[in-house]
Amino acid sequence: MSADPTDGGSTGPLQGAATGIRDDLTRLDSAFESWLSRHGVPVLRYALAAVFFWFGIVKPLGISPANPVVYHGVFFLPFDLFFPILGWWEALVGVGLLFDRTVRYAVYLMVFQMLGTMIPLFTTPWMTFVDWPFVPSEVGAYIIKNWVLLSGGLVVLSIVDLEEER
């Protein structure tokens, strides 16, 4: 006869093992949560710094895969002038995210730059969508993922604001 787990009686070996595993997972989850509360935003901040520096620095070097979409998407600015400036701007955002004193400025520059990256979604829909507005092309997906980067930057800025208030 098996014991009913709800009657407060004895437990079988499987139920005891399950309880032990659940307790171990709860402790592991708690430790991970504690680690994330200390290190999650800095990891996000340094990941954003790496992405911005990396994606930025390839533009003035002339080896960015974004060349065609920027060339066609931001047709109202001279490409030979705009593209290297955009690259250095992005690299500056990446470097700015590395230092406590410049994070706020870096995120402000990021917001402005990210809004600009959305321009090709509207100026070159034939490049950014397979079926507008629901199915992005590879280029469109590359641009749309910037919303995640922008959101990450805003999270970093919000935490920096909270730390400065303390």
Side-chain angles (χ1 to χ4, degrees):
M1 183 163 129
S2 64
D4 181 2
T6 60
D7 71 1
S10 65
T11 60
L14 288 179
Q15 190 171 9
T19 300
I21 290 171
R22 185 181 62 237
D23 292 345
D24 290 345
L25 289 175
T26 299
R27 280 191 295 279
L28 181 62
D29 182 59
S30 179
F32 186 58
E33 186 177 315
S34 177
W35 184 89
L36 280 177
S37 71
R38 288 189 314 274
H39 303 291
V41 172
V43 167
L44 174 61
R45 178 176 152 189
Y46 297 130
L48 286 168
V51 166
F52 271 87
F53 185 79
W54 189 354
F55 282 32
I57 202 68
V58 296
K59 287 178 176 72
L61 297 176
I63 55 175
S64 171
N67 287 25
V69 73
V70 173
Y71 181 80
H72 293 289
V74 189
F75 58 85
F76 46 87
L77 295 172
F79 179 79
D80 293 342
L81 178 66
F82 174 73
F83 201 62
I85 291 172
L86 175 63
W88 288 115
W89 182 298
E90 291 173 356
L92 181 63
V93 167
V95 171
L97 287 167
L98 296 175
F99 304 99
D100 290 342
R101 293 176 53 166
T102 56
V103 168
R104 175 179 306 285
Y105 305 110
V107 173
Y108 290 158
L109 289 173
M110 178 196 304
V111 168
F112 189 68
Q113 183 271 342
M114 282 291 164
L115 294 174
T117 66
M118 302 301 161
I119 291 171
L121 293 174
F122 306 102
T123 60
T124 57
W126 66 90
M127 290 182 74
T128 56
F129 289 96
V130 174
D131 185 16
W132 192 88
F134 300 110
V135 183
S137 66
E138 186 175 341
V139 169
Y142 179 83
I143 293 169
I144 291 168
K145 68 92 178 88
N146 287 339
W147 293 341
V148 176
L149 296 177
L150 177 58
S151 299
L154 296 175
V155 167
V156 167
L157 182 59
S158 73
I159 296 301
V160 168
D161 282 347
L162 289 174
E163 289 173 352
E164 287 178 357
E165 288 178 9
R166 291 182 197 161

